[in-house]
Amino acid sequence: MALGCGGTLGKVFLILINIIFFLLGLGLLIVGALMKANVKIVTDEVKPALNTVTVSSYKLGDLADNLSVVFIVIGVFIFIVAGLGLFGACCQNRCMLVTYAILVLILFIAKIAAIALWFTMQGEVEDKVKNEMLTSLQTHFTDDSVDTGSEVSRSWNYMFMTLDCCAINKVTSGTNDFDQSPWCTATGKSCKDSSAEVPRTCCVGVVASTYTAATAPCTTGVSGYNTMGCYDALKAEIDSYSTPVIGVGITILVIELLAVIFAFVICKQTGEEVV
């Protein structure tokens, strides 16, 4: 059936919109692939420390590790939905267009709900994560070494060197988050039995092969140590992806709304009205 002016315009727009969907899906795939390739946050050495923190019963380390997979899956799904819309518009197939419109509408509503939930709970979630990270550090950090101590303690040391951070809150003096940790309260540890105020692994520029050479004034908390807390460092690492993800997400929401409208316009002009 020949389309009217509105239907023809809708068909052209729908085709263009789904081409953009393809590009946006590719964008999410690229973001997911980059996050997957950048294993800086969730190396095997760091993950045990992150996994002591839970968010809604999910371990933080596993969440960070699988976040890239989520973006990749969403990107693939957008490709599939865009293909359905393209074929439906080009062939003027009402069944495909209705299916496409319903799927897009469900996605649109789900994203709005997820965004609203995130902004409602963001502060609470961030406070919970930070408090659990502090509890984990003060419970499990036993030694400033990657060779001794528990797996979680070694993991914290790797995190300090990997993210160029120290403790959970910003370290500004000898009084810091480590004061309540076993490293500073147990006999035989360098913090309790010497003048050490920050771990050797907090010193600027050290890596696993060089941290043992770190000495004062870094370890005495005078200078030469990373002052940024690991919560802020971890948040900054995740936030570095937020701008492209938010930009892509908002664009997708607008396109989804237009796609639903044009799909039903074409459906109406290719046969009986959609019920």
Side-chain angles (χ1 to χ4, degrees):
M1 179 178 177
L3 296 175
C5 181
T8 301
L9 182 62
K11 178 179 178 179
V12 172
F13 268 96
L14 199 58
I15 291 173
L16 292 176
I17 282 171
N18 282 286
I19 290 175
I20 296 174
F21 261 135
F22 267 105
L23 296 177
L24 290 175
L26 179 62
L28 285 177
L29 280 170
I30 292 174
V31 170
L34 288 174
M35 292 178 69
K36 189 68 175 175
N38 184 9
V39 295
K40 183 177 181 182
I41 302 177
V42 289
T43 60
D44 290 338
E45 294 86 359
V46 170
K47 188 182 291 186
L50 292 179
N51 276 343
T52 60
V53 179
T54 58
V55 180
S56 297
S57 75
Y58 294 99
K59 295 178 179 179
L60 184 59
D62 292 336
L63 281 176
D65 197 21
N66 294 325
L67 187 60
S68 59
V69 178
V70 173
F71 284 117
I72 292 173
V73 171
I74 292 175
V76 172
F77 185 74
I78 289 176
F79 270 124
I80 295 173
V81 173
L84 193 63
L86 276 174
F87 281 111
C90 292
C91 302
Q92 298 178 33
N93 185 305
R94 296 180 71 249
C95 181
M96 294 180 71
L97 285 171
V98 171
T99 303
Y100 167 80
I102 292 174
L103 285 174
V104 173
L105 188 59
I106 291 173
L107 283 174
F108 180 84
I109 295 173
K111 287 174 184 175
I112 292 295
I115 291 172
L117 184 63
W118 168 247
F119 279 107
T120 300
M121 301 181 61
Q122 182 179 8
E124 179 182 346
V125 170
E126 289 183 352
D127 288 343
K128 176 178 170 55
V129 169
K130 188 173 185 178
N131 290 334
E132 288 203 17
M133 287 180 69
L134 180 59
T135 298
S136 173
L137 179 78
Q138 294 182 337
T139 302
H140 300 288
F141 190 75
T142 59
D143 206 349
D144 61 341
S145 170
V146 297
D147 300 312
T148 59
S150 66
E151 180 185 37
V152 175
S153 180
R154 297 194 302 271
S155 180
W156 277 113
N157 283 294
Y158 275 112
M159 187 184 298
F160 300 153
M161 294 184 290
T162 301
L163 296 181
D164 295 327
C165 62
C166 191
I168 307 303
N169 297 289
K170 183 177 181 179
V171 178
T172 58
S173 67
T175 302
N176 52 58
D177 295 339
F178 295 106
D179 293 345
Q180 302 303 315
S181 70
W183 179 57
C184 287
T185 59
T187 302
K189 304 299 182 181
S190 57
C191 176
K192 181 176 178 60
D193 295 345
S194 71
S195 58
E197 298 288 354
V198 297
R200 294 171 293 177
T201 48
C202 281
C203 295
V204 173
V206 299
V207 294
S209 60
T210 63
Y211 78 93
T212 54
T215 57
C218 169
T219 55
T220 55
V222 176
S223 64
Y225 59 91
N226 295 307
T227 59
M228 177 179 285
C230 287
Y231 172 80
D232 288 335
L234 185 63
K235 189 173 183 295
E237 189 71 20
I238 295 174
D239 285 348
S240 65
Y241 297 99
S242 63
T243 299
V245 170
I246 290 173
V248 170
I250 291 175
T251 306
I252 287 177
L253 284 175
V254 174
I255 291 176
E256 284 175 344
L257 185 58
L258 292 174
V260 171
I261 294 173
F262 287 128
F264 280 106
V265 168
I266 296 175
C267 283
K268 185 175 181 180
Q269 294 192 9
T270 54
E272 298 178 1
E273 290 192 4
V274 181
V275 293

